[in-house]
Amino acid sequence: MNPVPAPNRRTDPVTVLEVLPRMDLAGETIRVVNLLRRLDPTEFRLLFCVTSGAPGSMDEEIRALGGEVYYCRADLRFPFAFRRLLRDVRPDIVHAGVAAFSGVVLAVARGSGVRRRVAHFFTTTDRRGDTVSGRLRRTAGRVLLDAFATDLLAVSEAAMRGQWRESWRLDSRCRVIYNGVELEPFGVAIAGQRPMPSLPELDEFGDVVTQPLTVLHIARPDPVKNRSRAVEIVATMCTRGFDARLRVVGRQSEEETKGLLTLARGLGVSDRVEFLGERGDVPKLLVNSSLLLVTSLREGLPSVVLEACAVGTPVLSSDLPGVAEIARVLPGITMLPLSTPNEIWASTAADLAIVPPTLDERREAMRRLRRSPFTMENWQRDITAVWSQPQPQPQP
């Protein structure tokens, strides 16, 4: 005799449709693909919809892990295309991380009968800036989110204040879930580092050999990431007599790369700037770098700062509220206003980078992060807790 399932108990996995701009190597996409690796497929089924309408570098990996990527460009036809997608995949949850446009996404989801509709804020302000059209889009998006979101998540308190409202704590739908780092690759990178020599290396004349200062900048090609400022700071370091190198990591656009190369040539440092593109060995790059430089105009809670903290690589960042939230918990972070002259940025960068962390210091950094809120285990627990809540009852 076959057992009878308990009443109201699911026997099939919860289907979650994540809506993101594009599945490239970036903080939120790397994190959610790591989650896809971790999830029990009998408990959750994770699918993705990208509003750029463009393939990303992680699409094939997602499919190999049992997920799927769908393309619905955020244009006038989006509501119709997204409604068709919802009808085809029938998700239990729509989880949107596309800033103000999430309001449109969740409105369509509500009209299609999806009961749990989650908005997730990854940055402090919308990328459209403070233009009239940008303000109108944000206002319209917030009105739609207020009407149709069942849950409002943010990667930091600063992101929740900036994208939602100062009084967010009074809204029972709101919750801050800090980004988490998958620690194992960073532990492996630390373990693979060669111990520092106990005595300084000398050249043939008996002078101490100084190693170049390797400055790492990790970001996507977006004006908000302010990559040009990193070039200026490293150029100033070289002008002040430091042997500095800049390694730019992340997806490149032809237009931005051309502009950065022109800037580097004009500052006389074209031979000191290296474009590495998207890389899967960021932990190793961080361990082998003297400094992580963050020059962004705005961020929510930059994962790359957490990753640098995981291996003890010093961080010099613009004074972003989300970075300040990390610095309250983890050491090794120095912040400067972007209005500070390049000369001060350069001297601060050199001071931080001149003495590399020891192997023991890197191991201690890993232990600190493991005890912090910023682990993948904590992030997975909190995200899946939202997804596992009882489904809201349909509204009349």
Side-chain angles (χ1 to χ4, degrees):
M1 182 175 179
N2 294 329
V4 178
N8 299 323
R9 184 169 182 176
R10 295 184 66 113
T11 58
D12 55 326
V14 174
T15 299
V16 181
L17 181 62
E18 287 263 2
V19 183
L20 293 167
R22 182 169 168 168
M23 301 311 296
D24 280 326
L25 281 170
E28 59 265 22
T29 52
I30 292 172
R31 194 163 41 255
V32 80
V33 173
N34 283 338
L35 179 62
L36 180 59
R37 293 190 189 97
R38 287 166 158 261
L39 288 176
D40 181 347
T42 66
E43 188 175 2
F44 291 102
R45 178 177 177 234
L46 196 53
L47 308 173
F48 300 92
C49 171
V50 294
T51 56
S52 65
S57 58
M58 303 191 77
D59 291 4
E60 291 309 311
E61 182 177 0
I62 289 168
R63 294 185 177 109
L65 290 168
E68 187 51 83
V69 183
Y70 303 96
Y71 308 99
C72 289
R73 187 175 176 82
D75 55 21
L76 293 176
R77 295 171 293 181
F78 175 85
F80 308 101
F82 191 58
R83 187 183 295 273
R84 285 195 300 272
L85 175 62
L86 294 175
R87 185 177 62 240
D88 292 341
V89 305
R90 302 179 64 83
D92 301 288
I93 300 165
V94 170
H95 190 133
V98 284
F101 191 70
S102 295
V104 176
V105 172
L106 299 190
V108 177
R110 170 65 179 85
S112 299
V114 179
R115 293 189 187 180
R116 184 161 297 285
R117 302 173 297 275
V118 184
H120 205 151
F121 304 129
F122 297 122
T123 187
T124 52
T125 56
D126 192 278
R127 62 189 301 151
R128 296 182 182 278
D130 202 31
T131 62
V132 173
S133 63
R135 290 196 298 270
L136 288 174
R137 287 174 184 268
R138 284 197 298 275
T139 300
R142 286 174 178 174
V143 169
L144 292 174
L145 288 174
D146 216 4
F148 299 115
T150 59
D151 301 86
L152 296 161
L153 311 180
V155 297
S156 64
E157 293 180 10
M160 188 67 87
R161 289 193 301 269
Q163 291 277 37
W164 192 234
R165 51 178 66 113
E166 289 286 340
S167 59
W168 64 272
R169 295 180 188 277
L170 302 178
D171 190 334
S172 61
R173 297 174 297 172
C174 292
R175 183 175 179 182
V176 171
I177 299 179
Y178 285 130
N179 292 342
V181 177
E182 190 74 77
L183 292 177
E184 183 179 359
F186 296 90
V188 170
I190 293 172
Q193 186 190 27
R194 291 180 298 176
M196 294 174 60
S198 56
L199 295 174
E201 183 182 351
L202 305 179
D203 63 16
E204 58 183 314
F205 303 106
D207 295 325
V208 175
V209 176
T210 59
Q211 297 298 319
L213 303 181
T214 303
V215 178
L216 200 62
H217 192 278
I218 304 176
R220 65 179 182 271
D222 188 322
V224 75
K225 300 300 183 180
N226 202 12
R227 278 174 163 172
S228 60
R229 186 67 183 275
V231 176
E232 294 174 3
I233 291 167
V234 170
T236 306
M237 292 175 71
C238 296
T239 301
R240 296 171 68 88
F242 295 102
D243 184 8
R245 304 284 191 274
L246 176 64
R247 308 186 85 187
V248 180
V249 177
R251 182 167 55 87
Q252 296 172 226
S253 71
E254 183 177 350
E255 181 182 2
E256 187 201 47
T257 302
K258 182 179 178 180
L260 292 175
L261 285 171
T262 299
L263 174 63
R265 280 194 296 269
L267 295 172
V269 292
S270 58
D271 60 333
R272 294 174 178 267
V273 179
E274 184 180 5
F275 295 90
L276 303 184
E278 288 190 327
R279 296 287 292 259
D281 59 346
V282 167
K284 184 178 179 180
L285 290 173
L286 281 165
V287 166
N288 292 323
S289 296
S290 311
L291 178 76
L292 174 71
L293 184 61
V294 179
T295 52
S296 300
L297 305 179
R298 59 181 181 270
E299 294 276 1
L301 193 88
S303 295
V304 68
V305 172
L306 296 173
E307 292 167 353
C309 290
V311 296
T313 296
V315 177
L316 178 58
S317 171
S318 45
D319 58 343
L320 301 164
V323 176
E325 288 184 47
I326 299 173
R328 292 203 299 258
V329 179
L330 299 173
I333 301 170
T334 302
M335 293 184 290
L336 289 172
L338 285 171
S339 58
T340 303
N342 286 333
E343 288 75 16
I344 296 178
W345 275 83
S347 61
T348 304
D351 289 344
L352 294 171
I354 202 71
V355 178
T358 66
L359 192 56
D360 285 342
E361 288 171 337
R362 291 193 184 279
R363 288 169 176 161
E364 178 57 30
M366 172 64 72
R367 286 191 286 268
R368 280 194 298 262
L369 198 137
R370 195 181 299 277
R371 297 191 297 264
S372 79
F374 308 114
T375 65
M376 188 66 185
E377 287 77 13
N378 289 337
W379 186 81
Q380 177 181 351
R381 178 199 64 209
D382 292 343
I383 287 291
T384 55
V386 173
W387 294 346
S388 301
Q389 294 177 51
Q391 292 290 341
Q393 293 302 311
Q395 299 174 5

